[in-house]
């Protein structure tokens, strides 16, 4: 028998149903309660948000947890300089603090500023930094406002502030019965830069509450992602809700294949003719389907081979079955129905090496997403400087070069050897508060699996855990 050839690559790695059509998007958040917002979004952090009663709600409003974000994955600001518009309805949630002008809700424009992979840009939250984009918001004093989120310091300099024109809006204690539409219009100026305007309208009476303009903003900085933001400011427990998030215009590019879920990823192994396949899902709601099915492509057709329950709190479904004798690679797909739509996650089960044949094993360990973390709880910035928080030198996620090399190497087996996550600082510090540890763990594990899952869906994988994998 030949020796097993093992190539270890040791890397210090660093909702919903929607309407999408040609440069346009409109959210349709479900009426029931769920942590997973939907396939078009990535939330920072997972435990900080939920959907309920047709709207998106931020659950984290503490002063030491600033700028909670939900990034829109399935679209982006195009690099064509064309106009576009973003709007969302928003209001206060769960607080009656006096306004001080430091809390706000609204939209983050230009996440990653065109320099980051959309998945890396979707991590932007908590601290500002180069590449962090532009904030277009409505603050707790009733003012429309533009702020920098791309400043090299830990501050968010104000670029422009509008006047609160309503004597009844956010002039005293803040209540829970609000409904405002924040509309941001973006267009080119004569020099090729960007002119922007925010208009805030009271949905109860149609009154224009505040407006502000920003002219000559660099077009090179207004590229990349778009996110909804809830920022508690200096007080405690100040949170906001959102609904009817809409994006339109020739300056928007839809990316319908950029989704998170409903199947996040798959890990499987094959021992002889026995297949064990573990399908990972996001945190589902009680009204969601609690089962998934597996199909194999046999004799020219897709065939059901099993249906399994999705078990909480891991939100995984494990299939364990015998495979028929085969002479070629086998295609599989995991099916899940959400809100009336059936989606499939496809992969390949290779035939595998023959007896006494040399095999190639790739080992991976110490998976990291950022040099300096989003919340500053771990690590150092790019080249030892915190100024470069949201730039490619600091944000390692996703590991596209690694995935390319793995596809090139064509391993027979992948061994995840431990520290698939780091509980602190990748991208945020650990959260052991009541009700949150499993969601905080999943928040970090989803990043790993969504990245490495691009190869594990096609290659048998075994997993070992180390100290950082265990809370």
């Amino acid at each position: 028998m030949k020796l097993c050839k093992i190539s270890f690559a040791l890397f210090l790695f660093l909702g919903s149903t929607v309407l999408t059509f040609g440069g346009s998007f409109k959210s349709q958040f479900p009426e029931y309660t769920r942590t997973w917002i939907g396939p078009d979004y990535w939330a920072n952090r997972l435990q900080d948000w939920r959907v309920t009663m047709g709207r998106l709600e931020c659950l984290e409003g503490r002063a030491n947890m600033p700028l909670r974000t939900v990034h829109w994955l399935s679209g982006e600001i195009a690099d064509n300089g064309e106009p576009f518009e973003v709007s969302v309805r928003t209001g206060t949630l769960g607080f009656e603090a006096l306004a001080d002008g430091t809390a706000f809700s609204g939209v983050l424009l230009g996440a990653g500023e065109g320099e980051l992979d959309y998945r890396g840009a979707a991590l932007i939250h908590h601290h500002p930094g180069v590449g962090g984009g532009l904030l277009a918001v409505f603050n707790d004093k009733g003012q429309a406002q533009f702020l920098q989120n791309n400043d090299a310091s830990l501050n968010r300099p104000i670029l422009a502030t509008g006047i609160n024109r309503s004597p009844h809006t956010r002039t005293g204690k803040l209540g829970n019965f609000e409904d405002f539409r924040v509309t941001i219009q973006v267009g080119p100026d004569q020099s090729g830069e960007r002119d922007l305007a925010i208009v805030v309208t009271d949905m109860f009476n149609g009154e224009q509450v505040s407006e502000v303009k920003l002219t000559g903003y660099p077009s090179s900085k207004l590229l990349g992602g778009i996110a909804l933001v809830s920022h508690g400011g200096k007080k405690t427990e100040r949170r906001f809700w959102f609904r009817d998030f809409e994006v339109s215009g020739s300056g928007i590019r839809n990316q319908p294949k950029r989704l998170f879920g409903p199947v996040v990823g798959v890990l499987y192994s094959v021992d002889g003719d026995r297949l064990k396949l573990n399908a990972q899902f996001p945190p589902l709601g009680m009204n969601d389907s609690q089962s998934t099915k597996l199909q194999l492509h046999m004799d020219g057709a897709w065939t059901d081979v099993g249906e399994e329950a999705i078990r909480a709190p891991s939100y995984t479904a494990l299939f364990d079955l015998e495979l028929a004798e085969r002479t070629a690679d086998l295609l599989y797909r995991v099916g899940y129905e959400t809100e009336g739509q059936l989606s499939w996650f496809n992969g390949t089960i290779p035939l595998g090496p023959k007896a006494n044949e040399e095999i190639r094993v790739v080992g991976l360990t110490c998976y990291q997403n950022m040099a300096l973390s989003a919340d500053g709880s771990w690590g150092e910035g790019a080249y030892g400087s915190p100024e470069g928080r949201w730039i490619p030198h600091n944000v390692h996620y996703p590991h596209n070069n690694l995935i390319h090399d793995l596809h090139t190497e064509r391993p027979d087996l992948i061994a995840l050897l431990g520290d698939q996550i780091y509980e602190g600082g990748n991208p945020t510090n650990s959260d052991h508060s009541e009700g949150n540890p499993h969601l905080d763990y999943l928040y970090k594990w989803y990043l790993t699996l969504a990245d490495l899952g691009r190869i594990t869906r096609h290659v048998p994988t075994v997993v070992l855990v180390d100290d950082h994998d265990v809370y």
Side-chain angles (χ1 to χ4, degrees):
M1 177 183 293
K2 295 183 180 179
L3 292 176
C4 174
K5 179 180 178 182
I6 303 178
S7 303
F8 279 106
L10 179 63
F11 287 86
L12 297 176
F13 293 92
L14 353 159
S16 54
T17 302
V18 296
L19 306 174
T20 54
F21 46 93
S24 298
F25 177 93
K26 183 176 180 179
S27 66
Q28 288 183 322
F29 299 121
E31 294 294 329
Y32 54 90
T33 301
R34 187 174 70 193
T35 297
W36 177 48
I37 299 168
D40 294 274
Y41 309 96
W42 175 261
N44 295 298
R45 303 164 301 169
L46 184 66
Q47 62 267 38
D48 294 339
W49 296 88
R50 71 175 182 180
V51 287
T52 187
M53 297 183 295
R55 69 185 190 182
L56 171 67
E57 295 183 350
C58 185
L59 303 177
E60 176 58 80
R62 290 176 292 175
N64 65 342
M65 292 289 183
L67 201 71
R68 306 294 93 181
T69 60
V70 170
H71 287 258
W72 176 43
L73 298 178
S74 57
E76 63 185 1
I77 302 171
D79 57 358
N80 58 13
E82 294 292 317
F84 64 91
E85 180 176 292
V86 182
S87 69
V88 67
R89 288 167 60 185
T90 185
T92 52
L93 181 68
F95 64 87
E96 295 183 354
L98 286 171
D100 64 0
T102 64
F104 55 75
S105 64
V107 177
L108 174 66
L109 299 171
E113 298 180 351
E115 297 295 325
L116 291 177
D117 182 288
Y118 78 95
R119 290 157 289 198
L123 297 181
I124 294 176
H125 75 292
H126 204 104
H127 283 317
V130 175
L134 173 69
L135 289 163
V137 301
F138 181 48
N139 71 17
D140 64 340
K141 294 185 74 173
Q143 301 166 321
Q145 197 169 57
F146 287 105
L147 303 96
Q148 284 184 253
N149 197 51
N150 59 359
D151 191 67
S153 69
L154 293 181
N155 299 312
R156 293 187 172 90
I158 298 172
L159 298 178
T161 302
I163 298 172
N164 181 354
R165 301 182 183 277
S166 170
H168 311 294
T169 299
R170 297 184 174 180
T171 55
K173 284 190 175 183
L174 303 180
N176 298 327
F177 302 101
E178 292 187 338
D179 191 347
F180 299 98
R181 179 171 288 281
V182 178
T183 302
I184 304 109
Q185 296 175 326
V186 182
D189 68 9
Q190 293 182 347
S191 66
E193 304 298 0
R194 294 288 203 168
D195 288 343
L196 301 94
I198 305 173
V199 177
V200 181
T201 305
D202 190 324
M203 297 299 289
F204 287 120
N205 56 27
E207 180 181 87
Q208 184 174 305
V209 176
S210 185
E211 64 177 329
V212 66
K213 295 182 179 180
L214 179 65
T215 60
Y217 191 80
S219 58
S220 62
K221 301 295 183 182
L222 210 62
L223 300 172
I226 297 173
L228 298 174
V229 300
S230 176
H231 179 73
K234 295 180 180 180
K235 303 293 184 180
T236 187
E237 285 306 309
R238 298 200 290 187
R239 305 175 289 120
F240 298 87
W241 62 261
F242 304 84
R243 69 185 308 154
D244 296 346
F245 169 56
E246 300 183 35
V247 186
S248 63
S250 53
I252 295 296
R253 180 185 297 116
N254 286 116
Q255 300 284 2
K257 294 184 179 180
R258 296 179 177 179
L259 301 175
F260 170 62
V263 181
V264 178
V266 162
L267 298 171
Y268 73 86
S269 63
V270 180
D271 181 10
D273 57 1
R274 185 180 183 186
L275 169 69
K276 285 189 175 181
L277 185 146
N278 194 49
Q280 177 71 64
F281 292 83
L284 303 172
M286 294 296 294
N287 294 75
D288 290 316
S289 172
Q290 303 298 309
S291 65
T292 181
K293 63 180 179 180
L294 177 65
Q295 291 187 343
L296 300 179
H297 197 262
M298 301 182 295
D299 299 324
W302 287 105
T303 303
D304 290 336
V305 294
E307 183 171 349
E308 293 292 340
I310 301 169
R311 294 175 172 83
S314 65
Y315 299 99
T316 55
L318 178 62
F319 294 89
D320 188 345
L321 63 147
E322 300 293 325
L323 297 176
E325 187 175 348
R326 57 198 174 98
T327 59
D329 295 348
L330 183 63
L331 302 179
Y332 71 86
R333 63 182 187 180
V334 178
Y336 182 77
E337 184 174 346
T338 176
E339 297 168 29
Q341 183 176 357
L342 181 62
S343 59
W344 297 97
F345 185 94
N346 294 61
T348 309
I349 302 170
L351 184 59
K354 298 177 182 179
N356 300 326
E357 189 175 33
E358 182 178 277
I359 66 171
R360 179 169 296 189
V361 180
V362 171
L364 303 175
T365 187
C366 302
Y367 185 93
Q368 296 183 10
N369 298 311
M370 301 179 67
L372 178 66
S373 65
D375 59 5
S377 62
W378 186 89
E380 296 183 357
Y383 306 114
S385 169
E387 287 80 4
R389 190 181 303 271
W390 303 114
I391 61 175
H393 288 304
N394 189 65
V395 180
H396 309 318
Y397 187 83
H399 301 87
N400 292 328
N401 290 337
L402 169 68
I403 300 303
H404 175 270
D405 290 344
L406 288 175
H407 279 294
T408 301
E409 290 295 323
R410 300 179 62 85
D412 298 297
L413 178 69
I414 293 176
L416 303 183
L417 299 174
D419 294 345
Q420 279 71 246
I421 70 162
Y422 279 85
E423 75 283 15
N426 271 278
T428 54
N429 202 6
S430 57
D431 183 356
H432 293 271
S433 57
E434 184 177 357
N436 283 347
H438 72 288
L439 292 177
D440 192 54
Y441 190 96
L442 288 173
Y443 171 62
K444 292 155 186 175
W445 168 241
Y446 288 153
L447 289 171
T448 304
L449 184 58
D451 190 14
L452 298 182
R454 292 179 284 171
I455 187 75
T456 66
R457 68 196 299 169
H458 301 299
V459 180
T461 303
V462 293
V463 180
L464 301 176
V465 298
D466 201 0
D467 53 346
H468 294 289
D469 297 298
V470 181
Y471 266 40

